[in-house]
PDB file of all heavy atoms in Angstrom:
ATOM      1  N   ASN A 131      45.003  24.249 -47.802  1.00 98.00           N
ATOM      2  CA  ASN A 131      45.003  25.717 -47.749  1.00 98.00           C
ATOM      3  C   ASN A 131      45.491  26.235 -46.398  1.00 98.00           C
ATOM      4  O   ASN A 131      45.409  27.413 -46.103  1.00 98.00           O
ATOM      5  CB  ASN A 131      43.617  26.282 -48.092  1.00 98.00           C
ATOM      6  CG  ASN A 131      42.568  25.949 -47.038  1.00 98.00           C
ATOM      7  OD1 ASN A 131      42.825  25.195 -46.110  1.00 98.00           O
ATOM      8  ND2 ASN A 131      41.380  26.514 -47.179  1.00 98.00           N
ATOM      9  N   ALA A 132      45.984  25.307 -45.569  1.00 98.00           N
ATOM     10  CA  ALA A 132      46.547  25.669 -44.267  1.00 98.00           C
ATOM     11  C   ALA A 132      47.542  24.581 -43.883  1.00 98.00           C
ATOM     12  O   ALA A 132      47.434  23.447 -44.334  1.00 98.00           O
ATOM     13  CB  ALA A 132      45.450  25.776 -43.219  1.00 98.00           C
ATOM     14  N   LEU A 133      48.516  24.953 -43.046  1.00 98.00           N
ATOM     15  CA  LEU A 133      49.534  23.951 -42.673  1.00 98.00           C
ATOM     16  C   LEU A 133      50.226  24.331 -41.382  1.00 98.00           C
ATOM     17  O   LEU A 133      50.152  25.471 -40.931  1.00 98.00           O
ATOM     18  CB  LEU A 133      50.558  23.764 -43.790  1.00 98.00           C
ATOM     19  CG  LEU A 133      51.178  24.997 -44.476  1.00 98.00           C
ATOM     20  CD1 LEU A 133      52.213  25.670 -43.590  1.00 98.00           C
ATOM     21  CD2 LEU A 133      51.828  24.599 -45.793  1.00 98.00           C
ATOM     22  N   THR A 134      50.896  23.336 -40.806  1.00 98.00           N
ATOM     23  CA  THR A 134      51.690  23.574 -39.592  1.00 98.00           C
ATOM     24  C   THR A 134      53.160  23.794 -39.935  1.00 98.00           C
ATOM     25  O   THR A 134      53.933  24.194 -39.071  1.00 98.00           O
ATOM     26  CB  THR A 134      51.607  22.372 -38.625  1.00 98.00           C
ATOM     27  OG1 THR A 134      52.113  21.216 -39.308  1.00 98.00           O
ATOM     28  CG2 THR A 134      50.172  22.124 -38.177  1.00 98.00           C
ATOM     29  N   GLY A 135      53.537  23.503 -41.173  1.00 97.00           N
ATOM     30  CA  GLY A 135      54.947  23.644 -41.554  1.00 97.00           C
ATOM     31  C   GLY A 135      55.823  22.551 -40.985  1.00 97.00           C
ATOM     32  O   GLY A 135      57.030  22.709 -40.848  1.00 97.00           O
ATOM     33  N   ASP A 136      55.210  21.398 -40.645  1.00 97.00           N
ATOM     34  CA  ASP A 136      55.989  20.340 -40.000  1.00 97.00           C
ATOM     35  C   ASP A 136      56.983  19.653 -40.942  1.00 97.00           C
ATOM     36  O   ASP A 136      57.805  18.858 -40.496  1.00 97.00           O
ATOM     37  CB  ASP A 136      55.078  19.311 -39.319  1.00 97.00           C
ATOM     38  CG  ASP A 136      54.176  18.556 -40.284  1.00 97.00           C
ATOM     39  OD1 ASP A 136      54.199  18.851 -41.495  1.00 97.00           O
ATOM     40  OD2 ASP A 136      53.444  17.662 -39.821  1.00 97.00           O
ATOM     41  N   SER A 137      56.908  19.959 -42.243  1.00 94.00           N
ATOM     42  CA  SER A 137      57.896  19.364 -43.165  1.00 94.00           C
ATOM     43  C   SER A 137      58.931  20.386 -43.614  1.00 94.00           C
ATOM     44  O   SER A 137      59.785  20.091 -44.442  1.00 94.00           O
ATOM     45  CB  SER A 137      57.183  18.783 -44.390  1.00 94.00           C
ATOM     46  OG  SER A 137      56.574  19.814 -45.124  1.00 94.00           O
ATOM     47  N   GLU A 138      58.863  21.604 -43.080  1.00 93.00           N
ATOM     48  CA  GLU A 138      59.762  22.669 -43.532  1.00 93.00           C
ATOM     49  C   GLU A 138      61.081  22.690 -42.772  1.00 93.00           C
ATOM     50  O   GLU A 138      62.042  23.295 -43.218  1.00 93.00           O
ATOM     51  CB  GLU A 138      59.063  24.026 -43.396  1.00 93.00           C
ATOM     52  CG  GLU A 138      57.892  24.175 -44.378  1.00 93.00           C
ATOM     53  CD  GLU A 138      56.978  25.334 -44.032  1.00 93.00           C
ATOM     54  OE1 GLU A 138      57.363  26.165 -43.187  1.00 93.00           O
ATOM     55  OE2 GLU A 138      55.878  25.393 -44.607  1.00 93.00           O
ATOM     56  N   LYS A 139      61.122  22.064 -41.613  1.00 91.00           N
ATOM     57  CA  LYS A 139      62.348  22.014 -40.814  1.00 91.00           C
ATOM     58  C   LYS A 139      62.569  20.580 -40.350  1.00 91.00           C
ATOM     59  O   LYS A 139      61.611  19.811 -40.258  1.00 91.00           O
ATOM     60  CB  LYS A 139      62.215  22.890 -39.562  1.00 91.00           C
ATOM     61  CG  LYS A 139      62.213  24.366 -39.824  1.00 91.00           C
ATOM     62  CD  LYS A 139      62.180  25.079 -38.480  1.00 91.00           C
ATOM     63  CE  LYS A 139      62.390  26.571 -38.652  1.00 91.00           C
ATOM     64  NZ  LYS A 139      62.561  27.221 -37.347  1.00 91.00           N
ATOM     65  N   VAL A 140      63.805  20.261 -40.013  1.00 88.00           N
ATOM     66  CA  VAL A 140      64.098  18.906 -39.535  1.00 88.00           C
ATOM     67  C   VAL A 140      63.491  18.693 -38.150  1.00 88.00           C
ATOM     68  O   VAL A 140      62.826  17.704 -37.899  1.00 88.00           O
ATOM     69  CB  VAL A 140      65.629  18.638 -39.514  1.00 88.00           C
ATOM     70  CG1 VAL A 140      65.907  17.256 -38.936  1.00 88.00           C
ATOM     71  CG2 VAL A 140      66.189  18.734 -40.919  1.00 88.00           C
ATOM     72  N   ASN A 141      63.728  19.635 -37.242  1.00 90.00           N
ATOM     73  CA  ASN A 141      63.182  19.504 -35.882  1.00 90.00           C
ATOM     74  C   ASN A 141      62.413  20.759 -35.491  1.00 90.00           C
ATOM     75  O   ASN A 141      62.884  21.556 -34.669  1.00 90.00           O
ATOM     76  CB  ASN A 141      64.311  19.260 -34.868  1.00 90.00           C
ATOM     77  CG  ASN A 141      64.882  17.866 -35.011  1.00 90.00           C
ATOM     78  OD1 ASN A 141      64.143  16.893 -35.015  1.00 90.00           O
ATOM     79  ND2 ASN A 141      66.192  17.780 -35.129  1.00 90.00           N
ATOM     80  N   PRO A 142      61.209  20.947 -36.036  1.00 95.00           N
ATOM     81  CA  PRO A 142      60.457  22.149 -35.666  1.00 95.00           C
ATOM     82  C   PRO A 142      59.965  22.057 -34.227  1.00 95.00           C
ATOM     83  O   PRO A 142      59.729  20.968 -33.717  1.00 95.00           O
ATOM     84  CB  PRO A 142      59.279  22.128 -36.648  1.00 95.00           C
ATOM     85  CG  PRO A 142      59.079  20.680 -36.967  1.00 95.00           C
ATOM     86  CD  PRO A 142      60.438  20.058 -36.924  1.00 95.00           C
ATOM     87  N   THR A 143      59.809  23.201 -33.595  1.00 97.00           N
ATOM     88  CA  THR A 143      59.245  23.219 -32.241  1.00 97.00           C
ATOM     89  C   THR A 143      57.727  23.240 -32.340  1.00 97.00           C
ATOM     90  O   THR A 143      57.170  23.575 -33.395  1.00 97.00           O
ATOM     91  CB  THR A 143      59.690  24.486 -31.482  1.00 97.00           C
ATOM     92  OG1 THR A 143      59.209  25.627 -32.214  1.00 97.00           O
ATOM     93  CG2 THR A 143      61.203  24.558 -31.371  1.00 97.00           C
ATOM     94  N   GLU A 144      57.069  22.928 -31.235  1.00 97.00           N
ATOM     95  CA  GLU A 144      55.600  23.021 -31.207  1.00 97.00           C
ATOM     96  C   GLU A 144      55.157  24.462 -31.460  1.00 97.00           C
ATOM     97  O   GLU A 144      54.159  24.707 -32.138  1.00 97.00           O
ATOM     98  CB  GLU A 144      55.066  22.540 -29.855  1.00 97.00           C
ATOM     99  CG  GLU A 144      55.072  21.020 -29.721  1.00 97.00           C
ATOM    100  CD  GLU A 144      54.277  20.527 -28.510  1.00 97.00           C
ATOM    101  OE1 GLU A 144      53.175  21.073 -28.254  1.00 97.00           O
ATOM    102  OE2 GLU A 144      54.758  19.616 -27.828  1.00 97.00           O
ATOM    103  N   GLU A 145      55.942  25.423 -30.935  1.00 97.00           N
ATOM    104  CA  GLU A 145      55.611  26.845 -31.136  1.00 97.00           C
ATOM    105  C   GLU A 145      55.622  27.197 -32.620  1.00 97.00           C
ATOM    106  O   GLU A 145      54.765  27.930 -33.108  1.00 97.00           O
ATOM    107  CB  GLU A 145      56.616  27.750 -30.390  1.00 97.00           C
ATOM    108  CG  GLU A 145      56.507  27.716 -28.880  1.00 97.00           C
ATOM    109  CD  GLU A 145      57.083  26.442 -28.257  1.00 97.00           C
ATOM    110  OE1 GLU A 145      57.863  25.721 -28.928  1.00 97.00           O
ATOM    111  OE2 GLU A 145      56.738  26.158 -27.108  1.00 97.00           O
ATOM    112  N   TYR A 146      56.604  26.656 -33.324  1.00 98.00           N
ATOM    113  CA  TYR A 146      56.720  26.905 -34.765  1.00 98.00           C
ATOM    114  C   TYR A 146      55.494  26.366 -35.501  1.00 98.00           C
ATOM    115  O   TYR A 146      54.921  27.035 -36.369  1.00 98.00           O
ATOM    116  CB  TYR A 146      58.000  26.227 -35.282  1.00 98.00           C
ATOM    117  CG  TYR A 146      58.237  26.369 -36.771  1.00 98.00           C
ATOM    118  CD1 TYR A 146      58.787  27.540 -37.303  1.00 98.00           C
ATOM    119  CD2 TYR A 146      57.916  25.336 -37.651  1.00 98.00           C
ATOM    120  CE1 TYR A 146      59.011  27.673 -38.670  1.00 98.00           C
ATOM    121  CE2 TYR A 146      58.128  25.461 -39.018  1.00 98.00           C
ATOM    122  CZ  TYR A 146      58.678  26.634 -39.520  1.00 98.00           C
ATOM    123  OH  TYR A 146      58.900  26.762 -40.874  1.00 98.00           O
ATOM    124  N   LEU A 147      55.058  25.176 -35.136  1.00 98.00           N
ATOM    125  CA  LEU A 147      53.883  24.571 -35.770  1.00 98.00           C
ATOM    126  C   LEU A 147      52.622  25.388 -35.482  1.00 98.00           C
ATOM    127  O   LEU A 147      51.818  25.648 -36.384  1.00 98.00           O
ATOM    128  CB  LEU A 147      53.683  23.130 -35.287  1.00 98.00           C
ATOM    129  CG  LEU A 147      54.826  22.136 -35.517  1.00 98.00           C
ATOM    130  CD1 LEU A 147      54.378  20.719 -35.144  1.00 98.00           C
ATOM    131  CD2 LEU A 147      55.329  22.157 -36.940  1.00 98.00           C
ATOM    132  N   MET A 148      52.462  25.802 -34.233  1.00 98.00           N
ATOM    133  CA  MET A 148      51.271  26.572 -33.852  1.00 98.00           C
ATOM    134  C   MET A 148      51.255  27.940 -34.548  1.00 98.00           C
ATOM    135  O   MET A 148      50.216  28.412 -34.993  1.00 98.00           O
ATOM    136  CB  MET A 148      51.219  26.759 -32.324  1.00 98.00           C
ATOM    137  CG  MET A 148      50.957  25.484 -31.544  1.00 98.00           C
ATOM    138  SD  MET A 148      49.428  24.618 -32.016  1.00 98.00           S
ATOM    139  CE  MET A 148      48.188  25.846 -31.616  1.00 98.00           C
ATOM    140  N   ASP A 149      52.420  28.536 -34.651  1.00 98.00           N
ATOM    141  CA  ASP A 149      52.534  29.843 -35.305  1.00 98.00           C
ATOM    142  C   ASP A 149      52.108  29.747 -36.777  1.00 98.00           C
ATOM    143  O   ASP A 149      51.349  30.575 -37.275  1.00 98.00           O
ATOM    144  CB  ASP A 149      53.987  30.332 -35.182  1.00 98.00           C
ATOM    145  CG  ASP A 149      54.124  31.784 -35.615  1.00 98.00           C
ATOM    146  OD1 ASP A 149      53.295  32.604 -35.188  1.00 98.00           O
ATOM    147  OD2 ASP A 149      55.046  32.090 -36.404  1.00 98.00           O
ATOM    148  N   ASN A 150      52.602  28.715 -37.462  1.00 98.00           N
ATOM    149  CA  ASN A 150      52.225  28.512 -38.867  1.00 98.00           C
ATOM    150  C   ASN A 150      50.733  28.230 -39.008  1.00 98.00           C
ATOM    151  O   ASN A 150      50.089  28.718 -39.938  1.00 98.00           O
ATOM    152  CB  ASN A 150      53.014  27.347 -39.470  1.00 98.00           C
ATOM    153  CG  ASN A 150      54.387  27.771 -39.929  1.00 98.00           C
ATOM    154  OD1 ASN A 150      54.541  28.815 -40.545  1.00 98.00           O
ATOM    155  ND2 ASN A 150      55.394  26.979 -39.620  1.00 98.00           N
ATOM    156  N   LEU A 151      50.205  27.424 -38.092  1.00 98.00           N
ATOM    157  CA  LEU A 151      48.782  27.109 -38.125  1.00 98.00           C
ATOM    158  C   LEU A 151      47.942  28.384 -38.008  1.00 98.00           C
ATOM    159  O   LEU A 151      47.017  28.613 -38.793  1.00 98.00           O
ATOM    160  CB  LEU A 151      48.427  26.142 -36.988  1.00 98.00           C
ATOM    161  CG  LEU A 151      46.958  25.721 -36.945  1.00 98.00           C
ATOM    162  CD1 LEU A 151      46.654  24.680 -38.015  1.00 98.00           C
ATOM    163  CD2 LEU A 151      46.589  25.176 -35.574  1.00 98.00           C
ATOM    164  N   GLN A 152      48.304  29.228 -37.039  1.00 98.00           N
ATOM    165  CA  GLN A 152      47.551  30.474 -36.829  1.00 98.00           C
ATOM    166  C   GLN A 152      47.626  31.375 -38.056  1.00 98.00           C
ATOM    167  O   GLN A 152      46.616  31.923 -38.506  1.00 98.00           O
ATOM    168  CB  GLN A 152      48.062  31.187 -35.578  1.00 98.00           C
ATOM    169  CG  GLN A 152      47.663  30.461 -34.298  1.00 98.00           C
ATOM    170  CD  GLN A 152      48.386  30.987 -33.073  1.00 98.00           C
ATOM    171  OE1 GLN A 152      48.921  32.084 -33.077  1.00 98.00           O
ATOM    172  NE2 GLN A 152      48.399  30.189 -32.011  1.00 98.00           N
ATOM    173  N   LYS A 153      48.818  31.501 -38.626  1.00 98.00           N
ATOM    174  CA  LYS A 153      49.005  32.372 -39.803  1.00 98.00           C
ATOM    175  C   LYS A 153      48.219  31.874 -41.018  1.00 98.00           C
ATOM    176  O   LYS A 153      47.636  32.668 -41.749  1.00 98.00           O
ATOM    177  CB  LYS A 153      50.498  32.420 -40.182  1.00 98.00           C
ATOM    178  CG  LYS A 153      51.326  33.361 -39.347  1.00 98.00           C
ATOM    179  CD  LYS A 153      52.766  33.349 -39.857  1.00 98.00           C
ATOM    180  CE  LYS A 153      53.692  34.016 -38.871  1.00 98.00           C
ATOM    181  NZ  LYS A 153      55.082  33.548 -39.038  1.00 98.00           N
ATOM    182  N   THR A 154      48.236  30.556 -41.237  1.00 98.00           N
ATOM    183  CA  THR A 154      47.662  30.030 -42.487  1.00 98.00           C
ATOM    184  C   THR A 154      46.161  29.736 -42.391  1.00 98.00           C
ATOM    185  O   THR A 154      45.523  29.505 -43.414  1.00 98.00           O
ATOM    186  CB  THR A 154      48.401  28.753 -42.951  1.00 98.00           C
ATOM    187  OG1 THR A 154      48.303  27.749 -41.943  1.00 98.00           O
ATOM    188  CG2 THR A 154      49.863  29.037 -43.266  1.00 98.00           C
ATOM    189  N   THR A 155      45.603  29.764 -41.172  1.00 98.00           N
ATOM    190  CA  THR A 155      44.163  29.518 -41.033  1.00 98.00           C
ATOM    191  C   THR A 155      43.368  30.810 -40.895  1.00 98.00           C
ATOM    192  O   THR A 155      42.141  30.801 -41.059  1.00 98.00           O
ATOM    193  CB  THR A 155      43.849  28.637 -39.796  1.00 98.00           C
ATOM    194  OG1 THR A 155      44.388  29.267 -38.620  1.00 98.00           O
ATOM    195  CG2 THR A 155      44.429  27.254 -39.946  1.00 98.00           C
ATOM    196  N   GLU A 156      44.040  31.906 -40.625  1.00 97.00           N
ATOM    197  CA  GLU A 156      43.363  33.166 -40.320  1.00 97.00           C
ATOM    198  C   GLU A 156      42.378  33.586 -41.411  1.00 97.00           C
ATOM    199  O   GLU A 156      42.716  33.627 -42.594  1.00 97.00           O
ATOM    200  CB  GLU A 156      44.414  34.273 -40.139  1.00 97.00           C
ATOM    201  CG  GLU A 156      43.923  35.424 -39.306  1.00 97.00           C
ATOM    202  CD  GLU A 156      45.046  36.417 -38.992  1.00 97.00           C
ATOM    203  OE1 GLU A 156      46.221  36.027 -39.010  1.00 97.00           O
ATOM    204  OE2 GLU A 156      44.712  37.574 -38.757  1.00 97.00           O
TER     205      GLU A 156
END
Side-chain angles (χ1 to χ4, degrees):
N131 67 353
L133 46 75
T134 60
D136 63 357
S137 65
E138 292 165 13
K139 289 184 171 189
V140 177
N141 288 309
T143 60
E144 283 192 42
E145 290 75 18
Y146 178 80
L147 301 188
M148 291 303 298
D149 190 46
N150 277 316
L151 181 77
Q152 289 168 19
K153 280 182 193 156
T154 60
T155 57
E156 203 173 336

